[in-house]
Amino acid sequence: MSRIGFGLVSLTKRNKLKETTPALYDRGLLFLVLALMAFGWVMVTSASLPVSEKIYNNEYYISIKHAAFIFIALTAMLTVLFFKMQWWQRFNMELLFVAIVLLVAVLLIGSTVNGSRRWLSLGIFNLQAAEVAKLFFFSFLAGYLVRQHEQLRENVIGFAKPLVVFMILAVLLLMQPDLGTVIVMFVTTVALLFLAGAKIWQFIALIASGLLAVWTLIMLEPYRMRRVVSFVDPWADPFGSGYQLTQSLMAYGRGSWSGLGLGNSIQKLDYLPESHTDFIAAVIAEEIGFVGLSILVMMLGWLVYKILNVGRLAMEKSQHYNGFFAYAIGIWIAFQVFVNIGASTGMLPTKGLTLPFISYGGSSLIVFSIAIAIVLRIDFETRALERTEKDELSNE
């Protein structure tokens, strides 16, 4: 046989080997997250130029800082990939304790910004304890659902125990105050309890109690009531309580279908507050239009679908802790995207939540990156188990 013939045979064998050898993890999920981070950096750079020039006398200050956050986030992601899921399951109670300590520390020695005490100064950046608390609480909740699965389905006590823990965290968060994080954690908790098989009447009672609690909290704080009133009719006070939302809506209106072009936003020129953080979606809509924002939403939706699929596959392999943890991360990201974009479009009251992987903010970016590393680790372990099962079957 000629050299060409041998080459073709060798190439065919390699191709067959690639087809039969499954990937170690979902590369598409990783590349999607990296693409979102890159796009987020571009948009943070564009949205932050005026405020960076005004505050720091350097229009690229926030952009450079966000690039440093991305580097830290990727380093954290790579590090967490080496943590086996057994470690997370074993120490989920200790992680919950760490979350409580951080939330208490914020109230005692935290920094106050815009009337809220939410940050711990670490020198390099300010850590938002609430972001860490969400991840660690979801780790605890996944562990609880595995340990007390039967008790959860059979009696009210099993259903109530994780809610008591949630209430402790909620009280600490509301003292900051941070109602947005409480709502995200509540929705994720309800969804996980439903997936774990709790009874329907318990959900009805829980949701009703949650709505009553949120309404009470709104009525007790005048600034929350102003947000609700401005959310219903922002144009009634466009230069007062409705200012931020009206400016955001102007950005959406200017962007129309195709946008004004990257870097050409008018609202970011000191008109729209928090244009590079909580309201970055409005700047995206203004610069690349409804079409561009829709593509971003579809990318985030695809990311959530992939995460939930990782959870489903883990559950099918009886890796229940891994499955519940992946479900929690997927629901968390999905709901936070919904709240962030909903607030900037006037569908929901302003909640002060970042747009995952897009908004400026070290704590949010780093914690979400760690969450993705956990999902990739879950996917890796599920695929490894599947390969082991196939090898055992082939040996038989």
Side-chain angles (χ1 to χ4, degrees):
M1 186 180 292
S2 66
R3 292 183 179 178
I4 296 177
F6 278 118
L8 289 173
V9 170
S10 177
L11 180 62
T12 302
K13 288 181 178 179
R14 284 198 300 269
N15 288 336
K16 287 183 178 179
L17 183 61
K18 289 180 180 178
E19 292 174 0
T20 56
T21 304
L24 296 177
Y25 58 91
D26 189 343
R27 296 173 184 172
L29 190 152
L30 176 60
F31 293 149
L32 185 56
V33 170
L34 294 177
L36 288 169
M37 284 185 180
F39 176 74
W41 181 49
V42 171
M43 292 313 305
V44 165
T45 300
S46 176
S48 66
L49 292 177
V51 69
S52 289
E53 179 66 28
K54 179 181 178 180
I55 298 176
Y56 304 105
N57 200 30
N58 178 0
E59 61 182 4
Y60 293 108
Y61 179 88
I62 291 178
S63 174
I64 294 170
K65 198 171 181 181
H66 191 69
F69 289 152
I70 292 175
F71 175 77
I72 296 171
L74 292 175
T75 303
M77 182 188 293
L78 182 61
T79 303
V80 172
L81 278 172
F82 290 96
F83 284 65
K84 295 180 180 180
M85 292 310 301
Q86 183 181 0
W87 183 89
W88 290 95
Q89 185 171 4
R90 179 181 177 185
F91 293 106
N92 67 84
M93 291 293 295
E94 287 81 355
L95 293 174
L96 176 65
F97 178 74
V98 171
I100 294 174
V101 170
L102 288 174
L103 292 178
V104 172
V106 164
L107 298 175
L108 296 176
I109 58 173
S111 303
T112 302
V113 179
N114 295 329
S116 298
R117 188 183 292 270
R118 301 179 183 176
W119 290 268
L120 288 170
S121 179
L122 299 182
I124 302 176
F125 70 99
N126 293 328
L127 175 67
Q128 190 170 356
E131 297 293 338
V132 180
K134 281 186 281 191
L135 181 65
F136 288 177
F137 172 69
F138 296 148
S139 173
F140 158 78
L141 189 57
Y144 176 84
L145 295 179
V146 173
R147 291 191 303 270
Q148 306 293 338
H149 184 69
E150 293 301 323
Q151 188 182 32
L152 174 68
R153 301 183 66 176
E154 291 176 359
N155 57 63
V156 179
I157 296 176
F159 182 80
K161 283 181 180 178
L163 297 180
V164 172
V165 176
F166 165 75
M167 287 301 299
I168 294 171
L169 295 175
V171 169
L172 293 172
L173 287 165
L174 290 172
M175 291 174 69
Q176 297 183 5
D178 191 354
L179 180 59
T181 296
V182 173
I183 292 174
V184 170
M185 292 173 65
F186 176 76
V187 170
T188 307
T189 301
V190 169
L192 278 187
L193 290 173
F194 177 78
L195 292 172
K199 297 176 181 178
I200 296 297
W201 71 266
Q202 294 172 331
F203 284 104
I204 296 174
L206 181 59
I207 292 172
S209 301
L211 292 174
L212 179 62
V214 170
W215 178 251
T216 303
L217 290 168
I218 290 172
M219 294 296 291
L220 289 174
E221 291 290 347
Y223 80 92
R224 287 179 185 143
M225 179 55 70
R226 286 195 297 271
R227 284 186 178 182
V228 172
V229 173
S230 64
F231 149 69
V232 174
D233 186 11
W235 301 102
D237 188 12
F239 297 103
S241 60
Y243 179 78
Q244 193 168 28
L245 181 53
T246 55
Q247 296 299 317
S248 178
L249 293 175
M250 287 181 189
Y252 278 96
R254 282 198 177 97
S256 189
W257 289 97
S258 57
L260 302 176
L262 188 61
N264 293 330
S265 168
I266 296 173
Q267 294 306 113
K268 71 183 181 184
L269 302 176
D270 214 19
Y271 294 106
L272 176 62
E274 311 296 339
S275 59
H276 59 296
T277 54
D278 301 343
F279 278 78
I280 195 169
V283 176
I284 294 171
E286 187 179 8
E287 294 193 347
I288 62 176
F290 175 78
V291 174
L293 182 61
S294 297
I295 293 172
L296 174 62
V297 171
M298 286 189 287
M299 290 175 67
L300 288 165
W302 184 241
L303 174 65
V304 170
Y305 169 77
K306 281 182 167 290
I307 294 172
L308 295 178
N309 189 56
V310 168
R312 179 184 64 82
L313 294 174
M315 295 295 281
E316 288 179 357
K317 296 297 180 182
S318 297
Q319 296 178 316
H320 298 115
Y321 174 81
N322 296 359
F324 283 129
F325 205 174
Y327 282 149
I329 292 170
I331 296 166
W332 167 24
I333 293 175
F335 187 71
Q336 190 151 327
V337 169
F338 170 71
V339 171
N340 178 276
I341 297 180
S344 68
T345 55
M347 297 189 334
L348 297 170
T350 304
K351 283 290 177 290
L353 295 173
T354 59
L355 185 59
F357 305 105
I358 306 298
S359 295
Y360 171 77
S363 297
S364 174
L365 183 61
I366 292 168
V367 171
F368 274 124
S369 298
I370 290 173
I372 292 299
I374 292 170
V375 173
L376 290 172
R377 181 72 200 194
I378 292 171
D379 190 36
F380 169 78
E381 293 188 6
T382 303
R383 295 181 186 223
L385 179 60
E386 185 177 1
R387 286 194 300 272
T388 302
E389 291 175 350
K390 286 182 179 179
D391 291 340
E392 290 177 352
L393 288 173
S394 62
N395 291 333
E396 290 178 0

